[in-house]
């Protein structure tokens, strides 16, 4: 099979498109024929070698994917060959024609969701759900700012919020990103490239501030987020790429809280809840990933450059050659 293989950490070009042997599922394992693999910013941090999670070399990148079950090992009962599935992690990496996974990493994908969309489920929707409902404990009627709403996690958060009766607001850097945020559930969307939008955000809440802020770029925004909080408001730091200065008094006066999350730290019970919520929301057609760009698997380096560029529009996914 074809796969992307990283032999050394570094720039996107360290990802090589190679012929490797197709894995065989052992007991309790599932072999999935990949229809599409999702590209997440964390894949780029791992590839560069600067992330907390550093796999042994060589490795095949990718956490998210969707496809069909090719073969199952002994004792597997939850899926059978031919079933459509999405992956939430894998053993062998998802940037490939096939990925080997444990039975617990494989989840049913309804016919209404194509493989490219299915490749944008676990990390974005899991992160948004864990942030909104486990960390912030957002309740229907509360106001939520998705600070960075045009990308994978932002769109997922807007869709979860729309479904759960939250009053959602979003920001994006491009006009089409702001339009997308409106389409996917934001009551209003704002341009985070200027400075004046912070006053506009406060005005949108009648001066009260937001009950919850989901922050995609804390090193730029955290100090300002604290000034945008409603009484007892919660900021959830999802993404950060550097240091930031804050004024703790802003938090004190609002009795606010800053949570910092990582999906990898979700407990088994929390992850089971995420997949149960996903199954029901997909059945109801209440959530659907937006795919902004599909690239052939061999263009993984370009996909890594694109996911770190400005002007996000939903998900970027890789399509393997056998598709
Ligand atoms: P993505 O698809 O690349 O989207 C990035 C988002 O950040 C876009 O909406 C982008 O908006 C926005 N952004 C850019 N500049 C911004 C600014 N100044 N203020 C606010 N937002 C800004 O990435 P993603 O998958 O949605 O992930 C978003 C972040 O969360 C990344 O940093 C990622 O590493 C992190 N993350 C963390 C976890 C975790 O477990 N903690 C899990 C998943 C993701 P424009 O491009 O429109 O400007």
């Amino acid at each position: 099979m074809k796969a992307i293989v990283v032999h050394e950490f570094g720039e996107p070009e360290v990802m090589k498109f190679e012929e490797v042997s197709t894995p065989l599922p052992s007991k309790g394992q599932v072999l999935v024929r990949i229809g599409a693999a999702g590209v997440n910013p964390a894949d780029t941090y791992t590839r560069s070698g600067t992330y907390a999670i550093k796999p042994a070399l060589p490795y095949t990148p990718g956490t998210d994917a969707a496809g069909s079950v090719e073969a199952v090992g002994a004792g597997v009962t939850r899926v059978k060959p031919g079933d459509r599935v999405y992956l939430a992690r894998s053993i062998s990496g998802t940037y490939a024609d096939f990925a080997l996974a444990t039975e617990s990493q494989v989840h049913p994908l309804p016919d209404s969701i194509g493989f490219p969309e299915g490749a944008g489920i676990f990390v974005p929707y899991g992160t948004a759900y864990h942030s909104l409902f486990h960390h912030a404990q957002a309740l229907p009627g509360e106001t939520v700012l998705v600070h960075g709403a045009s990308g994978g996690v932002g769109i997922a958060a807007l869709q979860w919020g729309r479904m759960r009766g939250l009053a959602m607001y979003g920001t994006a850097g491009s006009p089409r990103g702001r339009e997308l945020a409106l389409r996917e559930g934001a009551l209003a969307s704002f341009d985070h490239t200027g400075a004046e939008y912070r006053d506009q955000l406060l005005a949108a809440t009648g001066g009260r501030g937001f009950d919850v802020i989901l922050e995609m770029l804390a090193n730029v925004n955290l100090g300002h987020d604290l000034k945008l909080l409603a009484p007892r408001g919660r900021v959830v730091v999802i993404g950060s790429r550097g240091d930031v200065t804050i004024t703790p008094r802003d938090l004190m006066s609002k009795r606010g809280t800053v949570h910092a999350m990582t999906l990898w730290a979700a407990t088994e019970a929390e992850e089971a809840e995420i997949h149960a919520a996903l199954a029901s929301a997909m059945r109801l057609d209440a959530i659907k990933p937006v795919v902004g760009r599909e690239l052939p698997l061999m263009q993984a380096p370009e996909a890594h450059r694109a996911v770190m560029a400005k002007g996000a529009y939903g998900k970027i996914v890789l399509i393997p050659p056998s598709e």
Side-chain angles (χ1 to χ4, degrees):
M1 69 167 186
K2 293 290 187 196
I4 295 293
V5 184
V6 174
H7 295 275
E8 55 175 333
F9 297 115
E11 296 299 310
E13 286 64 32
V14 299
M15 291 188 288
K16 304 295 182 199
F17 184 64
E18 295 181 357
E19 182 69 35
V20 301
S21 53
T22 306
L24 286 173
S26 304
K27 190 176 174 210
Q29 295 180 343
V30 179
L31 183 68
V32 177
R33 177 185 287 272
I34 302 297
V39 176
N40 289 296
D43 301 346
T44 75
Y45 315 150
T46 305
R47 182 218 72 233
S48 71
T50 57
Y51 200 37
I53 300 168
K54 219 168 170 182
L57 294 169
Y59 79 100
T60 290
T63 301
D64 283 340
S68 55
V69 173
E70 182 75 8
V72 299
V76 170
T77 55
R78 283 179 53 215
V79 291
K80 59 181 185 319
D83 284 359
R84 304 175 83 256
V85 294
Y86 71 92
L87 282 173
R89 305 184 191 87
S90 69
I91 298 166
S92 61
T94 60
Y95 288 17
D97 276 333
F98 295 92
L100 193 62
T102 64
E103 187 176 15
S104 63
Q105 291 169 334
V106 172
H107 301 271
L109 184 73
D111 290 341
S112 56
I113 302 203
F115 291 150
E117 288 81 17
I121 292 180
F122 175 58
V123 171
Y125 286 81
T127 300
Y129 188 98
H130 195 42
S131 301
L132 274 174
F133 305 121
H134 293 148
H135 283 279
Q137 307 209 334
L139 294 170
E142 287 195 308
T143 51
V144 179
L145 171 63
V146 183
H147 214 161
S150 48
V153 178
I155 295 299
L158 291 176
Q159 293 182 0
W160 281 128
R162 169 178 74 184
M163 181 186 160
R164 291 283 194 98
L166 298 161
M168 304 300 289
Y169 296 82
T171 73
S174 70
R176 73 182 200 127
R178 290 191 286 282
E179 264 168 46
L180 180 64
L182 290 175
R183 195 188 83 195
E184 298 303 325
L187 299 172
S189 65
F190 302 84
D191 180 358
H192 57 219
T193 60
E196 62 282 1
Y197 80 103
R198 296 187 190 119
D199 294 334
Q200 296 165 6
L201 284 170
L202 210 50
T205 66
R208 180 178 170 271
F210 295 93
D211 296 299
V212 175
I213 299 178
L214 301 189
E215 183 51 63
M216 305 304 156
L217 201 57
N219 55 301
V220 173
N221 296 321
L222 188 59
H224 302 288
D225 287 342
L226 304 189
K227 300 182 197 309
L228 294 172
L229 277 184
R232 294 194 183 278
R234 294 86 77 198
V235 179
V236 185
V237 174
I238 297 175
S240 188
R241 295 179 181 166
D243 296 340
V244 64
T245 300
I246 64 163
T247 304
R249 195 160 284 281
D250 291 333
L251 262 187
M252 291 154 72
S253 60
K254 299 284 176 52
R255 284 178 286 169
T257 316
V258 178
H259 296 250
M261 68 78 66
T262 156
L263 181 60
W264 316 123
T267 64
E268 217 172 286
E270 286 168 337
E271 200 170 318
E273 180 187 326
I274 288 167
H275 291 294
L278 276 166
S280 128
M282 286 192 282
R283 218 171 21 245
L284 294 169
D285 236 358
I287 62 161
K288 185 175 260 187
V290 172
V291 176
R293 203 162 164 203
E294 294 182 22
L295 288 165
L297 181 60
M298 67 187 305
Q299 287 184 30
E302 167 56 18
H304 274 207
R305 279 188 290 272
V307 79
M308 296 301 280
K310 291 177 193 299
Y313 191 90
K315 288 298 305 176
I316 297 169
V317 302
L318 293 167
I319 309 295
S322 68
E323 262 305 291

